[in-house]
Every structure is written in structure tokens, then in C-alpha cells.
Amino acid sequence: MSEYFDVCVIGAGVVGCAAARELSKYDLTICVLEKEEDVCSGTSKANSGIVHAGHDAKPGTMKARMNLRGNALIKELSKTLDFHFRQNGSMVLCFDENDLPALEELYERGVANGVEGLKIVSGDEAREMESALSDKVVASLVSPAGGIVCPFGMTVAFAENAAENGAKFRFLTEVTGIEKTDEGYKIETDRGKIAAKYVVNAAGVYADRFHNMVSDRKIHITPRKGEYVLLDREVGGLTDHTIFQLPGKYGKGVLVTPTVHGNLLTGPTAVDIDDKEDTSTTADGTSSVKERASLSVPSVPYGKTITGFSGLRAHEDGGDFIIGEAEGAKGFFDCAGIESPGLTSAPAIGEYISELIARASGAKKKENFVSERRGIPEVAKLPPEERAKLIKENPAYGRIVCRCEEISEGEIVDAIRRVPGAVSLDGIKRRVRQGMGRCQAGFCTPLAMEILARELGIPMEKVTKNRPGSEQITG
Ligand SMILES: Cc1cc2nc3c(=O)[nH]c(=O)nc-3n(C[C@H](O)[C@H](O)[C@H](O)COP(=O)(O)OP(=O)(O)OC[C@H]3O[C@@H](n4cnc5c(N)ncnc54)[C@H](O)[C@@H]3O)c2cc1C
């Protein structure tokens, strides 16, 4: 017999986790199925981390609506759920007088979408705000509502809070088929069958696959690759705002931005590909990022590069987010085509989907919903007395494992013991930043492996970087 849940969420990216958290406010049994070993293993782990102000999407679209609501929610949730967010503001640069009408159009679009505080400044005013900007900048759209967020921190926070409120997470569980039944849906996985009254399709670049299994109105998602170059924290202060480029004769443009953890990020490219798993980086991609980012900020010190990475946008042919009950598939709710600004929009998408399901099911809000969650203490950033107190209570917080980011054994143990907790080196990295620094885990990996092996009760040969098959040592 199949296990039964009221709602089954496919995919534990930021959208699936946000939906699970919102659904867990209701009297519903919830299960999240994820093919990888952890949350935040798809596109949610590889993006710009920008909380968009909301001037890009066309007024009236789902993208515009979710972006605006998500921007407001993230600000609030970063406090309630304790993840890193900073409202640093953003600037869209214009390099050519002929493109000024396009900049003004962006301004008007933002106003129509309800973005507050937008203004256009001259090139000189822009350089006064950000001294590293190029002399070629002729004007800029400034948006104080723009921000930056930790994509891992936000996704993990949604997942932990959903789990605390009863949602069950099943990792390394790949959905292989979905069938409509009289009661709802039968979901086939490589670990057995699950029955659910409602399905939330939050499968990222694979969302078209599941949608098309149940609806006659077919959709199509193209993976659109974006490559990045990430620089050391030493140069993270080169700009304070997120610096975008106005799409124009130089192409779609790349950004230069500080991250919430103080690094400098440049990218992404935009190339349509066929392979939904291809997150490789390329020499061409890296050169293109460098060349185009230096149009905005000529002095980006690429000698301070620490790594490159890429992510895949889930671009649906129609160009907008597809959110809601799929045509001809009662009880099957899509969160499909969630490309940028999907990270920004995730809490709003979760809220919207859960309201639709609550209405369809008649589920009531729980009285005992726990709305708050505290993150793992960042020991190195604590005031000295608090740090000393914590180390006295638990000496593991005093044993530094990752020297670049100053991450202690205690924080790594916390990352593993949380629910859902880290079961791989990447899982630890995304939760507490061990290995995220200048040496990119070159020195601390063996120690982190020892801690994982000890905590999970497995031999060192079984410790993986991410999914099974990524073991680090043999014999
Ligand atoms: C280059 C780039 C830059 C971006 N920059 C920004 C930005 O700055 N700001 C912003 O707001 N947005 C940005 N985005 C968009 C944002 O990252 C995404 O919209 C968001 O992460 C999508 O989340 P998701 O949960 O829908 O998808 P994902 O994170 O991909 O999650 C889907 C999950 O489903 C799982 N899954 C798939 N198939 C199955 C299956 N068969 N069984 C079980 N599980 C399955 C996957 O493993 C994955 O974990 C960017 C995207 C890219 C690629």
C-alpha cells in the first residue's frame, strides 16, 4: 500500500521549501520529495542572490506580482527565520545616451509595478554613489528596494521551519511518474509509491516533465545557463549596491554585486542548452563575464577570483511564471518556469500556492504553528563574551575547522544535527560556509569528512561531496 500525504511537494529548492513552510501553517500532512541528497541542490544553489526590486517584469504578469510580494516578505522573513539579507539597493547602468528612453521605460515599469523610491540619476551622480563605476556611465536607475540574500540560508531556513511544523523530507527519492486517481495522485518514485490528494510541482528545470504527465496543455522549459566568477572577501567592498546593466547594444548585461557574506560576484551569462544537468563552467563563459562586468566596473580585480560556478534558469516558452492548478489536472499545482526573479519570489509563490490548496481542501490554520526559527550561531562573529560563554558550554565551538571562514567544529556538528541536516560536504558548506572561502575547502575537507563520518556513523569511504557516487576516498 502507498504511503499517504495530503500534499506532496516535488523538489526541495527554494520554491518547494517555501511552499512546504507555508503549507505547514495548515492542518495538512506534507511530504517533500527530492532526488538529490539535500535541500537547495538545484538552481537555488547557483544564482546571483539578488532580491530584485521589481522593475524588470511587465506589469500584470505573475513575475511582477510575485517579485513585489516576495521582496517585501524576504525582508520580514529574514528576521523571523534568521537568514542573511541586506537591502543594499541596486543601480541599472546606462552607457549610451541613445538608450536613455529604455532606462526611463524601466523606471515607468517599476512605478507601474509598485516599486517605491525609484529615481534616475546622471552618470556623475552615479559615480558619486559608487566610485568604482566606469566613466562611460551616462545615467542610472537607482532602486533602494533592491537587496541581497543568502540563497542557501533562506532555503534551509524554510526547510527547517517546515520540518519543525511537521513536513517530512525524503531525499535521494526521484519522482519517476505521476498518475491521476479518484482520490488524487499516485506518485511513483525510485523508492516506492506515494499517494497524495494534492501535488505541488516545484521541480525546477524538470517541472515541464511532471506538468506534461497530467495536463493536456503542454509546457516546455529550456535550461538557460548562467556562469559566474566569484571573488575573495578582500575585494567584496568594491561596490555597495548591486550594479546591473541596461540591456542594450552590449547584450543582456551582467551584474557586479557584493554578496551577503562579503564576497564580490560577477556574472551571469545567458546561454540556452539542452542538458538539464549541465552546470559546467567554460573558458568562454568566464571571459565573457570578465569582459562585460568591466564595462560597469573596470577595476574588478580578477586576480582575487576564488571560484567559478553556473546555474540553470528554468525558462518556459511563454516567458512568465506558471503558478496554479494545471489545466485538466484538479489538485495538481504548478510552480513552473520559475526563472529569475524566482529566488525573490519564492516566499510569495509559497504563500500563493498554499492559499490555493487551503481553499481547495478546506484546511484550517494550525493553532500551534511555530513561526520562528533560529540559525546556527556564527561563532566567529559573536561579541567576545558571548563567544567565550558558548565555547565554555561546548568546547567544539572553539575548535576552528575552516580557517578561511573561521568555522568551528561545533557549527559543523549543528549543521549535521539540524532537521533536515547536512549529510554531505556540500550540505555542510551551504549551511555554515565551511569550505566557501579563499582555499575552497583545500585544507579543511579531511576534518569535515571526519566529523561527518563520526556524526553519521559511516566509514570515511562513504562520505560524499553531494549525491552517492561523489565519495572522496577509496580503499
Ligand atoms: C544564473 C541564474 C541567476 C539567477 N539570479 C537570481 C537572482 O539574483 N534573484 C532571483 O530572484 N532569482 C534568480 N535566479 C532564479 C532563481 O535562482 C530560481 O528561480 C530559483 O532558484 C528556482 O527555485 P526552484 O525551487 O524552482 O528550483 P530548484 O532550486 O532547481 O529546485 C528544484 C528541485 O527539484 C528537484 N527535482 C527535479 N526533478 C526531480 C525529480 N524527478 N524527483 C525529485 N526531485 C526532483 C531538483 O533536484 C531540485 O532540487 C537565477 C537563476 C539563475 C540560473
Side-chain angles (χ1 to χ4, degrees):
M1 234 189 52
S2 314
E3 210 179 346
Y4 174 82
F5 291 91
D6 295 323
V7 191
C8 178
V9 180
I10 307 174
V14 69
V15 173
C17 292
R21 192 232 175 208
E22 284 296 321
L23 285 162
S24 74
K25 290 180 175 170
Y26 294 90
D27 201 3
L28 292 164
T29 54
I30 303 150
C31 171
V32 184
L33 304 177
E34 170 54 55
K35 71 181 169 67
E36 302 300 327
E37 89 293 355
D38 200 356
V39 301
C40 206
S41 296
T43 301
S44 303
K45 75 165 192 264
N47 51 64
S48 312
I50 308 302
V51 178
H52 290 281
H55 47 62
D56 290 330
K58 281 197 192 122
T61 58
M62 265 294 180
K63 277 186 178 170
R65 181 172 158 194
M66 294 296 136
N67 187 152
L68 260 283
R69 177 73 183 140
N71 179 296
L73 283 175
I74 287 180
K75 200 170 170 181
E76 248 173 73
L77 287 168
S78 64
K79 295 183 205 112
T80 327
L81 298 178
D82 198 15
F83 56 80
H84 286 277
F85 162 75
R86 182 160 79 87
Q87 199 158 30
N88 61 328
S90 61
M91 298 172 77
V92 182
L93 307 185
C94 174
F95 300 97
D96 188 334
E97 300 277 353
N98 294 322
D99 286 336
L100 283 174
L103 195 71
E104 275 151 24
E105 199 183 309
L106 210 55
Y107 168 87
E108 296 298 344
R109 197 182 268 194
V111 172
N113 285 342
V115 182
E116 287 174 6
L118 287 173
K119 63 174 178 183
I120 292 184
V121 300
S122 68
D124 286 339
E125 284 168 313
R127 276 179 290 276
E128 261 169 45
M129 294 173 70
E130 288 287 355
S131 59
L133 294 188
S134 156
D135 289 345
K136 297 197 173 71
V137 176
V138 296
S140 170
L141 174 66
V142 179
S143 174
I148 46 181
V149 69
C150 174
F152 323 115
M154 182 161 84
T155 308
V156 167
F158 289 150
E160 285 185 9
N161 192 239
E164 174 156 20
N165 287 295
K168 306 282 178 236
F169 283 78
R170 301 279 159 81
F171 295 107
L172 295 175
T173 305
E174 179 164 357
V175 176
T176 50
I178 303 177
E179 211 183 289
K180 181 90 187 83
T181 62
D182 290 343
E183 297 78 33
Y185 290 89
K186 188 170 78 184
I187 298 143
E188 310 249 3
T189 81
D190 57 356
R191 298 205 172 193
K193 293 187 180 77
I194 287 179
K197 180 107 198 230
Y198 303 99
V199 175
V200 176
N201 174 20
V205 286
Y206 291 96
D208 53 349
R209 193 176 151 207
F210 300 116
H211 169 98
N212 293 342
M213 283 179 188
V214 298
S215 176
D216 288 336
R217 182 159 187 182
K218 304 298 177 199
I219 63 170
H220 176 250
I221 290 174
T222 306
R224 183 166 288 170
K225 192 197 269 194
E227 293 188 40
Y228 291 92
V229 178
L230 181 73
L231 289 92
D232 193 74
R233 277 198 278 135
E234 198 183 314
V235 295
L238 189 61
T239 71
D240 187 51
H241 290 77
T242 297
I243 311 295
F244 295 106
Q245 299 169 345
L246 183 69
K249 68 176 179 190
Y250 302 103
K252 196 168 175 288
V254 301
L255 59 77
V256 176
T257 186
T259 70
V260 276
H261 297 289
N263 296 82
L264 190 73
L265 182 65
T266 63
T269 54
V271 178
D272 287 353
I273 58 170
D274 295 323
D275 183 351
K276 294 192 178 204
E277 297 289 328
D278 176 9
T279 52
S280 59
T281 51
T282 62
D284 281 354
T286 305
S287 318
S288 163
V289 168
K290 289 182 179 176
E291 193 188 315
R292 290 195 286 157
S294 57
L295 267 175
S296 306
V297 181
S299 59
V300 174
Y302 281 107
K304 302 285 179 191
T305 297
I306 59 172
T307 191
F309 62 91
S310 82
L312 304 178
R313 304 166 183 89
H315 178 72
E316 208 283 322
D317 292 354
D320 198 5
F321 292 164
I322 299 175
I323 308 170
E325 200 165 54
E327 200 175 294
K330 196 161 180 281
F332 184 96
F333 291 86
D334 279 316
C335 303
I338 312 297
E339 57 186 338
S340 193
L343 184 70
T344 312
S345 307
I349 298 173
E351 182 183 68
Y352 181 68
I353 281 289
S354 69
E355 280 166 8
L356 292 182
I357 292 179
R359 209 174 304 145
S361 63
K364 297 272 165 295
K365 287 232 166 142
K366 282 181 200 159
E367 276 176 18
N368 57 352
F369 175 72
V370 181
S371 61
E372 294 204 3
R373 167 259 183 200
R374 298 270 50 92
I376 294 169
E378 292 175 61
V379 183
K381 292 188 187 151
L382 292 174
E385 319 77 62
E386 259 183 68
R387 187 175 173 180
K389 186 167 167 269
L390 202 62
I391 294 171
K392 200 167 169 208
E393 281 164 19
N394 179 0
Y397 286 120
R399 287 195 286 275
I400 295 298
V401 173
C402 167
R403 291 178 189 207
C404 302
E405 297 294 306
E406 292 183 86
I407 308 301
S408 67
E409 180 178 342
E411 287 155 271
I412 294 174
V413 170
D414 283 351
I416 301 166
R417 292 188 186 171
R418 289 277 173 129
V419 181
V423 293
S424 64
L425 292 169
D426 282 353
I428 295 175
K429 180 168 90 173
R430 287 183 211 127
R431 282 173 180 77
V432 293
R433 291 185 59 75
Q434 171 265 325
M436 282 272 196
R438 190 175 295 173
C439 90
Q440 288 287 297
F443 288 97
C444 53
T445 295
L447 274 172
M449 285 175 66
E450 271 176 36
I451 300 168
L452 254 181
R454 185 187 75 210
E455 286 293 316
L456 300 180
I458 56 172
M460 287 285 271
E461 307 90 87
K462 294 266 181 219
V463 172
T464 55
K465 175 165 162 47
N466 38 62
R467 62 175 7 258
S470 61
E471 289 76 13
Q472 300 290 288
I473 54 172
T474 54

